[in-house]
Amino acid sequence: GTTFFNISASTIVSKWRGDSEKLIRVLFELARYHAPSTIFMDEMDSVMSRRSTHDEHEASRRMKTELLVQMDGLVQSDAQVFVLAASNFPFDLDPALLRRLEKRILVPLPEEDEREAMFRLLLTEDIADVKNMSFEEFAEKTKGYSGSDIHLVCKEAAMEPLRRLMKDLQETYGDSYLDAVSEDQLSLDLISSDDVQLALSRTKASEAYNPKVYEDWQEKYGV
């Protein structure tokens, strides 16, 4: 029930001198005006990496300082504005920002039962042959997969019925099958268990970082 502001680096970073600070100030003024509101900043490390006096541009330091000042202003006002940030590199964030983010929560990779629930959520009976699928086996084979990886597996599996249909039409009508086929003939099969197994063989987990590093950071800074 809040006004939601979805913010990325491109939203508040400008090549014009002083514009980034103005954009940040306007963002927080809008959030206070439309309160209760939520400001969500994705990939926060691209905006608020550690400040440095040696190799960092002056404009970048000014922008970061303005963001910190505006977050301090929320504490001093009565406006109901909630700031939520996400980052894959929490150890690169500026310490001053960490002090202002009261809760620091690690979202780990999904466990086996959670991966099974994701497969069941994405592969529903209207698009997949769920009665002949072993969701437990899919979950077991996707250890180390993130939620996005599982979503990619299901998307790849969903392409197989389309590929089969296009192959059949091309064999029947030749290369000009798009002109010869009516809309009634364009019906897709349900996603089968073999389709998911094929998708699993074509996709790999995108996990490229040591989970221990994140667990250590969470133990040190998490709240």
Side-chain angles (χ1 to χ4, degrees):
T2 68
T3 306
F4 191 81
F5 295 87
N6 190 7
I7 306 301
S8 62
S10 62
T11 312
I12 56 178
V13 176
S14 172
K15 66 178 181 179
W16 303 109
R17 184 181 181 89
D19 260 13
S20 295
E21 299 95 282
K22 291 179 182 177
L23 290 170
I24 291 173
R25 187 167 61 251
V26 168
L27 167 65
F28 279 82
E29 287 177 357
L30 279 172
R32 283 190 288 265
Y33 180 80
H34 293 285
S37 57
T38 299
I39 299 176
F40 172 62
M41 296 187 177
D42 199 10
E43 302 298 344
M44 192 64 171
D45 51 273
S46 64
V47 179
M48 279 300 300
S49 58
R50 290 177 181 270
R51 288 172 292 176
S52 171
T53 57
H54 304 292
D55 55 358
E56 187 174 19
H57 195 275
E58 175 198 357
S60 176
R61 290 200 303 272
R62 289 201 315 268
M63 180 193 69
K64 294 175 182 178
T65 301
E66 181 65 27
L67 180 57
L68 295 174
V69 168
Q70 291 296 329
M71 293 182 71
D72 274 340
L74 292 179
V75 177
Q76 298 168 5
S77 70
D78 296 329
Q80 295 181 356
V81 179
F82 178 66
V83 178
L84 178 66
S87 173
N88 289 321
F89 298 93
F91 24 79
D92 290 341
L93 294 174
D94 191 85
L97 175 69
L98 293 179
R99 290 197 299 269
R100 288 163 173 82
L101 296 175
E102 301 171 2
K103 300 295 182 182
R104 297 175 288 276
I105 303 169
L106 173 67
V107 181
L109 293 173
E111 299 292 340
E112 186 171 329
D113 57 338
E114 295 162 348
R115 297 195 299 271
E116 179 184 342
M118 290 180 185
F119 276 110
R120 292 184 182 277
L121 180 67
L122 294 169
L123 299 174
T124 54
E125 59 182 9
D126 56 327
I127 61 171
D129 184 13
V130 296
K131 295 181 180 179
N132 297 314
M133 283 192 178
S134 176
F135 292 104
E136 297 84 357
E137 182 183 356
F138 301 156
E140 185 179 346
K141 288 186 174 182
T142 51
K143 183 179 181 180
Y145 280 56
S146 67
S148 296
D149 294 332
I150 293 174
H151 187 260
L152 181 62
V153 169
C154 294
K155 283 181 66 176
E156 179 65 23
M159 289 298 296
E160 287 306 307
L162 178 60
R163 294 186 181 115
R164 286 196 296 270
L165 175 63
M166 294 179 65
K167 182 180 179 181
D168 293 343
L169 292 176
Q170 194 167 18
E171 290 176 352
T172 304
Y173 298 100
D175 292 335
S176 59
Y177 66 90
L178 289 177
D179 298 325
V181 176
S182 64
E183 188 175 343
D184 297 336
Q185 295 174 277
L186 300 177
S187 59
L188 293 174
D189 298 334
L190 293 175
I191 303 170
S192 67
S193 180
D194 291 339
D195 294 334
V196 181
Q197 297 286 3
L198 185 60
L200 287 172
S201 67
R202 292 175 176 171
T203 56
K204 302 297 180 184
S206 60
E207 180 190 356
Y209 308 104
N210 184 2
K212 185 69 165 58
V213 175
Y214 295 90
E215 292 169 2
D216 291 344
W217 187 93
Q218 175 70 13
E219 185 177 349
K220 185 176 182 180
Y221 297 103
V223 177

